[in-house]
């Protein structure tokens, strides 16, 4: 195993880790805002990938151009999911936590079933995108352009989210609602409006990731399941409710996955992710950056 092969693997892991971070940030944002785990998060990613595919197939819009459109559509979809499903689940008088879990879990099953019915279980791909199959060579290290652009988009999206949360009035309202939902109502802030926009923002982030991933990953109804599992581990690794922790956790997961693939067969690359997660749980149960 040469040093160049190790660097190549780490570079690939870093690029995928940034995308994992972008997927996980949306999940962490929703959990941090409402203490609700969105078990349909992977299906949001799946819908975003299908949206990119059909925009390309029917309108010849490259996924790079359709990414903002897909993110905007997922923003609306996320807000509607909160207003029509989650809002009522949160009103449960008994076993509220279980009701919230099963409401989003049931939504995931419905979305996956509808995708299989309307889109069939067939694998689809976008073969002729602007970035598809292209690579960039830097000092002998080959970086696929789709993953490279996806990593840059992830960094920009996270920077934008950080600015939005810390430098805008709505971001402050978001933080205030997370700290004390009852108190914000006394100063005229509509809690449900903030929650709906928070869900929309979390869905838009995963929609952005899905649009980019549609360039280099097969699209099928179950595609979100594996990425959702990685996102849950990433959020727990970084610390529940920590947006920065989720993004940093995604980078760690990507690098660990790459290193594991060097040591073990590629089919076992997830073993390293869960081993590191268990190690962190034993040492720091709240996660690396969690404050719970």
């Amino acid at each position: 195993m040469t040093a160049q092969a190790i660097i190549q693997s780490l570079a690939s892991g870093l690029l995928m880790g940034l995308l994992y971070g972008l997927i996980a940030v949306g999940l962490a944002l929703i959990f941090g805002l409402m203490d609700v785990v969105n078990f349909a998060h992977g299906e949001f990613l799946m819908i975003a990938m299908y949206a990119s595919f059909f925009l390309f197939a029917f309108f010849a819009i490259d996924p790079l151009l359709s990414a903002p459109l897909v993110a905007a559509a997922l923003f609306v979809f996320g807000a509607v999911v909160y207003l029509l499903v989650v809002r009522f689940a949160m009103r449960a008088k008994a076993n509220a936590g279980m009701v919230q879990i099963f409401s989003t879990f049931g939504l995931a099953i419905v979305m996956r079933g509808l995708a299989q019915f309307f889109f069939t279980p067939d694998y689809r791909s976008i073969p002729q995108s602007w970035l598809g199959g292209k690579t960039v060579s830097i000092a002998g290290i080959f970086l696929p352009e789709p993953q490279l652009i996806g990593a840059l988009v992830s960094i920009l999206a996270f920077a934008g989210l950080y600015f939005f949360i810390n430098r805008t009035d709505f971001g402050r309202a978001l933080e205030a609602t997370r700290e004390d939902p009852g108190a914000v109502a006394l100063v005229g802030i509509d809690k449900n409006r903030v929650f709906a926009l928070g869900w929309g923002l979390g869905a838009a982030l995963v929609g952005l990731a899905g649009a980019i991933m549609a360039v280099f990953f097969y699209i099928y109804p179950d595609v979100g399941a594996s990425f959702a599992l990685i996102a849950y581990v990433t959020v727990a690794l970084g610390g529940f409710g920590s947006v920065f922790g989720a993004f940093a956790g995604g980078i760690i997961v990507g690098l660990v996955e790459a290193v594991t693939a060097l040591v073990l067969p590629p089919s076992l690359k997830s073993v390293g992710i869960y081993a590191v997660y268990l190690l962190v749980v034993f040492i720091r149960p709240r996660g690396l950056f969690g404050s719970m």
Side-chain angles (χ1 to χ4, degrees):
M1 187 181 300
T2 64
Q4 186 175 7
I6 295 173
I7 296 173
Q8 176 72 66
S9 182
L10 291 176
S12 299
L14 176 61
L15 296 184
M16 280 306 302
L18 287 166
L19 278 171
Y20 289 157
L22 183 60
I23 296 172
V25 160
L27 189 65
L29 179 66
I30 292 172
F31 181 86
L33 181 62
M34 302 171 56
D35 286 340
V36 173
V37 178
N38 178 18
F39 283 94
H41 197 69
E43 280 59 43
F44 282 27
L45 180 73
M46 176 264 293
I47 290 296
M49 294 176 74
Y50 269 113
S52 292
F53 171 80
F54 286 118
L55 284 172
F56 180 82
F58 292 117
F59 303 104
I61 302 177
D62 191 86
L64 196 61
L65 294 179
S66 66
L69 300 177
V70 173
L74 264 290
F75 178 91
V76 175
F77 182 72
V80 169
V81 165
Y82 169 76
L83 292 173
L84 297 183
V85 179
V86 180
R87 178 166 60 115
F88 297 101
M90 294 181 66
R91 295 179 181 176
K93 301 299 183 182
N95 297 320
M98 295 300 294
V99 172
Q100 294 164 15
I101 289 172
F102 283 111
S103 63
T104 57
F105 186 73
L107 176 64
I109 294 174
V110 169
M111 290 175 64
R112 198 179 306 175
L114 289 175
Q116 290 178 348
F117 179 78
F118 287 108
F119 307 144
T120 75
D122 295 341
Y123 282 57
R124 304 171 189 265
S125 63
I126 300 176
Q128 297 178 339
S129 64
W130 291 350
L131 302 176
K134 296 180 180 179
T135 59
V136 174
S137 178
I138 302 176
I141 304 302
F142 295 94
L143 304 176
E145 286 191 13
Q147 285 94 323
L148 183 60
I149 295 300
L152 293 175
V153 168
S154 299
I155 293 171
L156 292 174
F158 179 75
L161 178 66
Y162 182 85
F163 176 84
F164 181 77
I165 291 177
N166 293 281
R167 296 291 187 268
T168 66
D169 290 338
F170 176 73
R172 296 185 186 97
L174 204 67
E175 286 292 304
T177 305
R178 180 170 70 170
E179 293 293 331
D180 194 337
V184 295
L186 300 177
V187 295
I189 296 177
D190 186 347
K191 179 180 69 174
N192 283 320
R193 180 172 177 270
V194 172
F195 284 163
L197 292 176
W199 266 76
L201 188 57
L205 292 170
V206 75
L208 194 61
I212 298 298
M213 291 176 62
V215 177
F216 61 91
F217 208 87
Y218 284 113
I219 305 164
Y220 54 100
D222 292 334
V223 66
S226 58
F227 289 106
L229 187 58
I230 291 175
Y232 300 142
V233 171
T234 300
V235 170
L237 180 66
F240 280 106
S242 172
V243 171
F244 173 78
F247 195 68
I251 296 173
I252 294 171
V253 164
L255 292 173
V256 169
E257 184 179 59
V259 171
T260 306
L262 285 174
V263 179
L264 300 177
S267 60
L268 299 177
K269 64 182 181 179
S270 297
V271 170
I273 298 174
Y274 302 116
V276 170
Y277 168 64
L278 290 174
L279 179 63
V280 171
V281 166
F282 289 141
I283 297 174
R284 187 178 171 84
R286 68 175 66 97
L288 295 176
F289 301 95
S291 58
M292 295 167 47

